[in-house]
Amino acid sequence: MSRFVIRKVAVLGAGVMGAQIAAHCANAGVPVILFDLPAKEGNRNGIVDRAIANLKKLNPAPLGTPALADVIEPANYEDHIERITECDLIIEAIAERMDWKHDLYRTVAPVVAEHAIFATNTSGLSITKLSDGMDEALRARFCGVHFFNPPRYMSLVELIPTADTQPEILDDLETFLTTTLGKSVVRAKDTPNFVGNRVGIFSILATMAEAAKFGLTYEVVDDLTGAKMGRAKSGTFRTADVVGLDTMAHVIKTMQDNLPDDPFAKHFATPPVLAALLEKKALGQKTGAGFFRKDGKNILRLDPAKGEYVPATGKADDLVARILKIKDPGERLQKLRESSNPQAQFVWAILRDVFQYIAVHLADVADTARDVDFALRWGFGQQQGPFELWQQAGWARVAGWIQEDIAAGKTLSDAPLPAWVTSGPVAEKGGVHTPEGSWNAREQRFEERSNLPVYGRQVFPEPVAGDGSAVPATAGNTVFEDESIRLWTLADPGRDDVLIASFKTKMHVIGQPIVAGLVKAVELAERDYQGLVIWQTDGPFSAGADLQSMLPVFMSGGAKAIEPEERKLQEAMLRLRYATVPVVAAVAGLALGGGCELAMYSARRVASLESYMGLVEVGVGLVPGAGGLTFGARRAAELHAAAPDTDLLQFLKSYVLQAATAQVSKSAIEAQAMGYLQPGDVVVFHPAELLHVALGQAQAMADAGYRPPRRARFAVAGRDGLATISAQLVNMRDGGFISAHDFHLGRSIAEVMCGGDVDPGSVVDEAWIMALERRVFVSLLDHPKTQERVMGMMQTGKPVRN
């Protein structure tokens, strides 16, 4: 079977979405050309150049590091149209106007390469109608590809074919989107707004309708429909403001114009309050006002009756908040439904409305119920899809409640539940998700997941409740396990020769049991396996040292009692570094403090793009004490040895200042630029592929005859380097950029990394720098300012600035 390789991408349209799609291609190392109209004055590429420059300013950052903006090639349709021929994938991302899109297609069609995939990024326009006018060959290579905004961070991409799209085109594009760009793909039907927006926007409209019915204010609704329901913290109305009220109105209008016969159609009209905001150009966050407006530090919410903004002070009732904390879904929904509290009735109503809607429309909008659940999870930040919740709460019982509410006229539509809900295979199995697959309402059968080869890279693909997927925390063969760590292997032959270490502590913090477990893991790996991979089955890589577990030791023996524990932690790091088998850290999410040091002392790192790494100990008034400063001193010396004409301090200063100011990378790409990841490390874009790649790296290193590095001896900057860096820190202190205690911490970091009071160029080993680390670390524990920071962090979870 031939392999389709996308070597270069063209993005047509340098607006918000087009520029950010191009940015994410640049993140992935894919050459990309960004097109737009020629500027009427000055530089002909001025429109695109401004869009690229703006990418560096956006927050959250669309680029893994600002330098990647230079990877995007600017172009315009008049001067560079022939360059589209170079590209294997063309993504059109101009405004949501079918006539404008058709005009552009006529312009670019002659220069689209015969092998290239042509895709339109649209949130809801008909892909079939967009293909009108194309010749047969191009129509066969045309499809919809709907990125959710912002493209770097939102997992969901919907892939929408027409009846003429060649199946292999979809397979090739899904493979690229999944493994190269790290997206989670749902194949959607060519219906208005596809899957995510069709259900998600209906959910928002239902929320607005039910909020008005129960008389709830916007901030109360957001408190109820945010984190308390396992959804995005911003809730409903704040999310609408962030997305843009004009964008939401456009999607609503698509439903209104194209779904006149939908049994819920009367609710597709733009709500009056939204229409009024649009008329005033109050479009949400981008205009400074929408459903909410920020006034200094205060948040105001719109009072639709008065037409003015008032303080947003409402919140969920304690009773309802307690109900929403009930773990059992069936009990939780029952108490919401039976409660007389208007907020509880509201929450039940919006859940019921969506249950009814997805049941009525499943056959129209998606191939399977799994696609609906994934679209809502990946595109709208829900921890659990609606079908999953319904099934876990008791399929038949919830269906009965919905039918009762329909009969009582409480629902937004009197449309009955489809027959498959209450009889046949779904009713017999107790839901739409089973080990055999998820329900396909059109075909009336359970359908398995995609068997595309790319999904073989996902050792534990994301499950849906009820599908019987293996749970990583208990999968495979356990070699050793205690309350803090599990050492295990995969059960598959050929993948069981690498030991895996997974932490069980909260936020995977590192305390004494983890240190002991890691040492044991190295011993077992050296004896019985080809390598060791440190991979967490869920959550972040590691949030750092376990301060809470350190407190009893400190209280009983004072600061001196911590010194032996620090020594053990440092020795464990060196044990990882000098293990006779390769140790690979599979990093995702937070890798802070000791977590960052753990990754740095591994033989190799495989990091998810969204990895946030840094030595942040100054936030608790300490310095890195598990070898982080030693690592920086050694790496600076190694870089200096490779470029001896450059002053050692030029390499050292960045490591010192990063630790002194607790800098955290905004991506794995930036972590590589900061030196926490090394040039030979691997950045993985789809987090579900992380374990597969880490295991592959360990096996490849072992197959290549891995030998640990020689014990390091390296030159340090000494007292002269310390004096130079101290002068910079004085300027930062006197300029008000850091506090007096921050200066003390920064100078302590510089002292350690410069090797202490020694001559410049003195050669030391890791033990020398680690001894300095321990001495400074222990001495700081007795400092009142440090104690304030430690206690503040333990009590509030936030750093204290003193």
Side-chain angles (χ1 to χ4, degrees):
M1 183 179 72
S2 61
R3 187 170 70 96
F4 185 82
V5 179
I6 295 176
R7 298 176 178 85
K8 183 177 288 188
V9 173
V11 178
L12 312 182
V16 172
M17 286 300 292
Q20 292 198 51
I21 291 169
H24 197 56
C25 289
N27 289 337
V30 179
V32 57
I33 309 173
L34 181 59
F35 283 83
D36 211 301
L37 296 168
K40 294 180 180 179
E41 297 179 357
N43 179 7
R44 299 269 289 173
N45 289 335
I47 294 173
V48 177
D49 285 343
R50 285 191 293 273
I52 294 172
N54 191 52
L55 290 171
K56 300 178 183 180
K57 304 173 186 176
L58 293 177
N59 187 26
L63 293 163
T65 179
L68 286 170
D70 297 334
V71 175
I72 304 170
E73 295 185 64
N76 69 77
Y77 301 124
E78 290 186 7
D79 300 332
H80 311 106
I81 190 74
E82 74 285 348
R83 295 206 60 195
I84 291 175
T85 305
E86 304 171 16
C87 300
D88 309 295
L89 170 64
I90 298 95
I91 301 174
E92 170 270 305
I94 67 171
E96 294 280 86
R97 284 274 301 269
M98 191 166 289
D99 55 340
W100 291 359
K101 290 178 184 282
H102 277 151
D103 288 344
L104 180 59
Y105 297 170
R106 283 189 287 271
T107 299
V108 303
V111 292
V112 174
E114 292 183 359
H115 72 283
I117 299 172
F118 190 19
T120 174
N121 181 70
T122 173
S123 60
L125 295 179
S126 167
I127 310 303
T128 300
K129 290 181 180 178
L130 284 170
S131 71
D132 288 347
M134 292 182 179
D135 63 37
E136 183 178 348
L138 185 56
R139 202 162 56 243
R141 293 178 281 115
F142 181 74
C143 64
V145 55
H146 178 209
F147 286 83
F148 274 58
N149 190 24
R152 170 183 161 184
Y153 299 95
M154 295 302 292
S155 178
L156 178 63
V157 170
E158 292 176 315
L159 197 55
I160 313 102
T162 72
D164 298 314
T165 308
Q166 294 175 352
E168 57 268 28
I169 291 295
L170 297 175
D171 292 349
D172 291 336
L173 187 50
E174 183 167 353
T175 297
F176 172 78
L177 291 167
T178 301
T179 201
T180 302
L181 297 189
K183 300 292 105 182
S184 297
V185 175
V186 164
R187 293 204 185 184
K189 295 182 182 299
D190 189 12
T191 59
N193 294 338
F194 315 129
V195 182
N197 279 341
R198 179 76 176 270
V199 179
I201 293 299
F202 171 78
S203 177
I204 291 173
L205 289 170
T207 299
M208 291 181 175
E210 300 291 2
K213 182 191 300 183
F214 289 101
L216 304 183
T217 59
Y218 302 139
E219 77 273 26
V220 170
V221 170
D222 280 358
D223 193 28
L224 288 166
T225 60
K228 288 182 172 64
M229 286 182 66
R231 300 181 179 182
K233 292 180 180 179
S234 51
T236 300
F237 292 99
R238 179 61 186 144
T239 296
D241 275 354
V242 171
V243 170
L245 302 189
D246 53 341
T247 301
M248 189 173 77
H250 169 77
V251 180
I252 292 172
K253 192 173 188 307
T254 300
M255 296 174 73
Q256 187 177 19
D257 292 347
N258 295 285
L259 297 168
D261 299 327
D262 190 299
F264 297 81
K266 65 181 180 181
H267 298 286
F268 295 164
T270 303
V273 64
L274 178 57
L277 288 169
L278 294 171
E279 188 175 345
K280 295 176 183 177
K281 305 298 182 184
L283 307 181
Q285 182 172 276
K286 58 188 170 187
T287 60
F291 290 109
F292 295 93
R293 190 185 78 198
K294 194 170 184 181
D295 184 16
K297 293 184 178 180
N298 299 318
I299 301 295
L300 306 179
R301 56 98 175 161
L302 179 67
D303 183 332
K306 298 179 180 178
E308 59 187 46
Y309 290 89
V310 300
T313 57
K315 63 177 184 178
D317 289 347
D318 288 342
L319 169 67
V320 182
R322 287 196 299 272
I323 292 175
L324 291 174
K325 287 182 178 179
I326 296 173
K327 291 186 178 181
D328 179 75
E331 182 184 356
R332 183 167 69 247
L333 264 59
Q334 181 176 8
K335 287 190 178 298
L336 288 169
R337 184 171 187 268
E338 294 177 351
S339 173
S340 60
N341 185 297
Q343 293 185 14
Q345 293 174 358
F346 160 77
V347 175
W348 160 249
I350 62 173
L351 292 172
R352 175 207 62 213
D353 294 341
V354 172
F355 292 160
Q356 182 188 15
Y357 189 81
I358 58 177
V360 168
H361 287 300
L362 177 57
D364 304 325
V365 303
D367 286 335
T368 70
R370 178 176 53 245
D371 296 321
V372 172
D373 281 342
F374 279 156
L376 271 292
R377 278 162 50 176
W378 295 335
F380 286 80
Q382 298 185 11
Q383 292 179 5
Q384 186 178 47
F387 275 123
E388 290 181 289
L389 175 58
W390 181 352
Q391 181 166 330
Q392 288 191 316
W395 184 264
R397 183 168 63 158
V398 173
W401 292 341
I402 298 169
Q403 289 175 315
E404 289 176 14
D405 283 6
I406 293 171
K410 295 180 179 180
T411 54
L412 299 182
S413 169
D414 60 3
L417 294 178
W420 61 260
V421 172
T422 54
S423 63
V426 170
E428 293 166 6
K429 294 283 188 179
V432 291
H433 301 307
T434 71
E436 293 79 36
S438 293
W439 185 248
N440 183 322
R442 186 181 292 268
E443 301 292 335
Q444 294 287 294
R445 62 181 175 81
F446 293 105
E447 189 170 302
E448 294 181 345
R449 286 175 180 259
S450 169
N451 61 0
L452 279 179
V454 68
Y455 293 115
R457 295 171 58 85
Q458 298 183 8
V459 182
F460 296 103
E462 191 164 342
V464 287
D467 71 357
S469 295
V471 178
T474 56
N477 300 316
T478 299
V479 177
F480 170 83
E481 186 171 14
D482 62 18
E483 62 200 18
S484 298
I485 195 169
R486 180 179 179 232
L487 308 180
W488 59 290
T489 68
L490 295 178
D492 308 334
R495 302 175 93 176
D496 58 355
D497 53 359
V498 175
L499 188 65
I500 304 168
S502 301
F503 301 173
K504 297 164 62 177
T505 52
K506 185 177 181 180
M507 296 291 287
H508 304 136
V509 293
I510 301 169
Q512 296 167 334
I514 293 291
V515 173
L518 286 171
V519 172
K520 186 177 186 68
V522 172
E523 292 171 351
L524 289 171
E526 289 180 327
R527 190 186 71 191
D528 298 325
Y529 299 95
Q530 286 192 324
L532 171 65
V533 167
I534 304 170
W535 177 76
Q536 315 301 4
T537 59
D538 60 357
F541 181 71
S542 174
D546 185 356
L547 294 176
Q548 196 74 42
S549 69
M550 195 185 299
L551 187 60
V553 179
F554 178 77
M555 296 300 291
S556 63
K560 290 183 178 179
I562 301 297
E563 197 275 343
E565 301 305 321
E566 276 301 295
R567 184 188 291 271
K568 289 178 185 177
L569 182 54
Q570 292 176 337
E571 289 173 349
M573 295 298 174
L574 292 175
R575 189 74 177 87
L576 294 170
R577 174 169 165 76
Y578 295 111
T580 58
V581 294
V583 178
V584 178
V587 180
L590 297 178
L592 304 179
C596 184
E597 290 166 310
L598 176 59
M600 292 192 296
Y601 274 83
S602 299
R604 183 159 296 171
R605 288 136 297 275
V606 174
S608 173
L609 174 66
E610 301 308 331
S611 295
Y612 312 110
M613 303 181 69
L615 299 173
V616 297
E617 286 82 354
V618 296
V620 289
L622 295 168
V623 300
L629 303 184
T630 304
F631 174 91
R634 175 177 58 77
R635 280 297 295 151
E638 290 170 350
L639 293 169
H640 172 61
D645 293 338
T646 304
D647 187 355
L648 171 60
L649 271 182
Q650 295 305 309
F651 300 109
L652 187 65
K653 280 192 297 187
S654 60
Y655 280 106
V656 171
L657 292 176
Q658 283 166 191
T661 55
Q663 290 183 37
V664 176
S665 72
K666 297 181 178 66
S667 70
I669 297 170
E670 189 170 72
Q672 212 155 22
M674 294 169 71
Y676 294 139
L677 298 179
Q678 300 308 305
D681 293 337
V682 181
V683 177
V684 175
F685 274 62
H686 201 298
E689 296 184 359
L690 190 63
L691 179 58
H692 167 82
V693 176
L695 291 170
Q697 289 287 307
Q699 289 171 327
M701 292 168 75
D703 289 345
Y706 176 79
R707 300 288 296 175
R710 290 182 296 174
R711 294 278 172 172
R713 289 182 59 80
F714 48 90
V716 292
R719 61 180 71 90
D720 289 0
L722 174 59
T724 301
I725 295 174
S726 295
Q728 289 184 311
L729 292 170
V730 167
N731 292 335
M732 294 173 69
R733 181 196 63 195
D734 294 349
F737 297 104
I738 59 175
S739 69
H741 193 48
D742 288 329
F743 170 78
H744 175 60
L745 293 167
R747 194 181 186 285
S748 297
I749 289 169
E751 179 185 359
V752 173
M753 296 183 76
C754 289
D757 187 18
V758 297
D759 293 334
S762 295
V763 176
V764 301
D765 59 12
E766 288 165 307
W768 176 268
I769 306 291
M770 283 187 167
L772 292 175
E773 275 190 26
R774 289 197 307 276
R775 178 177 61 78
V776 171
F777 187 94
V778 171
S779 68
L780 284 168
L781 288 171
D782 283 327
H783 197 294
K785 294 288 189 181
T786 288
Q787 292 174 359
E788 286 178 15
R789 292 193 182 190
V790 171
M791 294 309 296
M793 178 62 74
M794 292 175 63
Q795 291 170 359
T796 68
K798 298 178 181 179
V800 174
R801 307 314 305 176
N802 58 4

